[in-house]
Amino acid sequence: MAVALPVLTPLAPLTTLRLGGPARRLVEADSAEAVVAAIRDADAGGEPLLLIGGGSNVVIADDGWPGTAVLVTSAGRELERRPDGTVLLTVEAGEDWDGVVAASVAAGFGGLECLSGIPGRTGATPVQNVGAYGVEIADLLVDVDLYDRTADRVRAHVPAAELGLGYRTSMLKGRTDAVVLRVRFALPGGGDSAPIRYPELARVLGVEVGARLPAQRVRAAVLGLRRGKGMVLDADDHDTWSAGSFFTNPVLPEREAPPGAPRWPAGAGLVKIPAAWLIEQAGFGRGHQGPGGRVALSRKHVLALTNRGPGSTADLIGLAREVRDGVRKQCGVVLQPEPVLVRCRL
Ligand SMILES: Cc1cc2nc3c(=O)[nH]c(=O)nc-3n(C[C@H](O)[C@H](O)[C@H](O)COP(=O)(O)OP(=O)(O)OC[C@H]3O[C@@H](n4cnc5c(N)ncnc54)[C@H](O)[C@@H]3O)c2cc1C
C-alpha cells in the first residue's frame, strides 16, 4: 500500500533572514480566489495556517511550521482617475511592494515615494502599517478587501479606519483570521511628492522640511539613504539579510525618557525614542556579533539583526535577547520586537 508521506518544504528561502525550518505543506496562491481556496482547504483539514508574503517581517522558528503555509503571489493593479483629480490605485495582495511604488511614481503619481525600497508584498503593508521617512500606509490607504476566515466570507471595501492602524501595528498583525486580498490607495493626481517631513531626507534633497519635489527625485533620494543603511535587499550583502528594524522605537511618557535621549513628540505627553540610540547607549555597536559570529547587528545600522550565514533562528533570538536585556539594564526601557515571531519568542 502506498503511503503518502508529508513533504516538508523549507521556509527559510522564502524569508529575507533566510531562517526558519520547514512547513508541513506549502501552497502558492496566485489569485485572490486561490488564496481563499487554499485557506478553506487548510481549515477543512484542521491544518494550522501561516500566511507568507515576501517573508521580510517574519522570524520563523527553527522547527518550522506544523501545518500549511500559504504563499500569496496574486498579481494585478488598476488605476482609476477620480473626478476630484485624485487617483484610486487598486493592488492585489501578492504584488511586490516596491514594484507598485516604482510604477506609480513612473506613471506620474506622487504619494508613495517615501515608501520606496521596502521589501515585501502589498497585502502585508497594512498589517504593520508600513512606514518610512515620515510617511505611513495609513496616510494613503482607502480600504482593503479581506477574507474573514471565521465567517468564511470575503468582505469587500473594509475602510482603513476599521483596521486599527497605529505605529508599526494594526488589528491584522499577528493574526490569521482576516487575510488581505486587495488594497486600495488614494494618490494625489500630480507628480509631486508628499511634503517632505523627515529632516534627514530634506537635508539630502537640499530643501526645507515641508517642501514638495518631483516624486521621482524623492524616490531616488530615499533609495540612496536606504542603501547606505542596508535597508534595500541585496543578496550579496549580509547586512540586508534581516527583517528590517528588529525593534520598534519605544513610545514613553516624557518623564520616563532616559536623560539625553533624542525624542519626537508622540501625543498626550508621550515621546518616541530611537531604539538605535538606546542600543548604542547600551554598548552594542554596528557589527556586534552573536553566537559564533553566525548572526550580528548590521555593520550599517544597529537596529537590523542579520544572518551572516549559516545562522539559526535560535542564534538570532539569542542576539535579540542580549540586546533587549542590555538596553533594559542600561536605559531602563524594554524594547519590543517589530517582526512577527512565528513559534518563537524573545
Ligand atoms: C531590509 C528591510 C527593510 C525594511 N524596511 C522597512 C521600513 O522601512 N518600514 C517598514 O514598515 N517595514 C520595513 N521592513 C519590514 C517589512 O518589509 C514590511 O513589514 C513588509 O510590509 C512585510 O511584507 P511581507 O510581504 O514580506 O510580509 P511577511 O513577512 O511575509 O509577513 C508579515 C506578516 O504579515 C502577515 N501577512 C502577509 N501577507 C498577508 C496578507 N495578505 N494578509 C494578512 N496577513 C498577511 C504574515 O502572516 C506575517 O504575520 C523592512 C524589512 C527588511 C528586510
Side-chain angles (χ1 to χ4, degrees):
M1 187 177 66
V3 178
L5 293 173
V7 180
L8 295 176
T9 312
L11 293 177
L14 301 179
T15 71
T16 51
L17 273 165
R18 280 100 164 151
L19 293 179
R24 218 176 60 72
R25 199 165 74 102
L26 177 73
V27 181
E28 181 174 342
D30 62 2
S31 67
E33 294 72 29
V35 171
V36 173
I39 295 172
R40 280 190 178 135
D41 199 31
D43 285 346
E47 289 266 297
L49 173 71
L50 175 65
L51 283 169
I52 304 186
S56 63
N57 210 30
V58 282
V59 180
I60 300 175
D62 291 315
D63 58 1
W65 184 251
T68 299
V70 175
L71 181 64
V72 181
T73 61
S74 47
R77 300 175 206 155
E78 259 178 45
L79 273 177
E80 183 194 326
R81 285 171 197 275
R82 300 198 290 189
D84 64 357
T86 61
V87 167
L88 186 69
L89 172 64
T90 303
V91 189
E92 297 296 308
E95 283 272 348
D96 171 65
W97 172 248
D98 193 49
V100 170
V101 177
S104 72
V105 169
F109 304 116
L112 296 176
E113 58 286 332
C114 283
L115 304 177
S116 294
I118 298 179
R121 297 179 197 265
T122 305
T125 57
V127 172
Q128 77 148 0
N129 186 21
V130 157
Y133 296 99
V135 172
E136 56 185 19
I137 285 294
D139 298 332
L140 299 140
L141 186 68
V142 177
D143 63 33
V144 296
D145 293 351
L146 290 178
Y147 173 57
D148 177 340
R149 223 172 130 204
T150 315
D152 184 20
R153 72 179 178 99
V154 173
R155 293 180 59 206
H157 298 285
V158 178
E162 285 186 23
L163 299 178
L165 299 167
Y167 165 58
R168 294 304 167 275
T169 193
S170 78
M171 278 162 27
L172 303 165
K173 194 165 177 177
R175 292 165 55 170
T176 48
D177 52 346
V179 177
V180 180
L181 301 175
R182 204 165 285 116
V183 186
R184 289 181 197 83
F185 303 98
L187 307 180
D192 276 355
S193 69
I196 307 294
R197 297 190 190 128
Y198 206 79
E200 184 190 21
L201 181 58
R203 214 167 29 248
V204 165
L205 286 162
V207 296
E208 297 292 317
V209 167
R212 290 175 188 264
L213 289 168
Q216 197 68 273
R217 208 176 132 201
V218 176
R219 171 171 164 79
V222 167
L223 287 173
L225 282 171
R226 293 185 66 94
R227 280 198 190 96
K229 296 173 185 172
M231 287 293 175
V232 176
L233 294 184
D234 174 353
D236 296 329
D237 181 358
H238 279 265
D239 283 333
T240 74
W241 291 31
S242 77
S245 301
F246 196 89
F247 296 104
T248 53
N249 294 321
V251 175
L252 308 168
E254 177 136 37
R255 63 181 181 284
E256 289 174 21
R263 62 199 69 190
W264 307 288
L270 300 172
V271 289
K272 194 189 277 180
I273 310 288
W277 184 87
L278 295 167
I279 292 169
E280 280 163 357
Q281 288 297 301
F284 300 103
R286 294 178 190 181
H288 172 85
Q289 295 189 343
R294 297 182 297 272
V295 294
L297 302 189
S298 159
R299 289 169 308 177
K300 302 185 179 77
H301 200 300
V302 291
L303 207 42
L305 272 61
T306 64
N307 174 12
R308 312 314 290 188
S312 67
T313 299
D315 291 336
L316 193 88
I317 293 287
L319 177 60
R321 285 183 184 147
E322 186 194 354
V323 171
R324 179 202 57 190
D325 294 348
V327 168
R328 181 168 46 199
K329 197 161 161 225
Q330 182 66 30
C331 309
V333 176
V334 180
L335 294 179
Q336 299 297 333
E338 182 180 303
V340 174
L341 306 183
V342 178
R343 302 189 73 232
C344 54
R345 60 194 166 100
L346 285 199

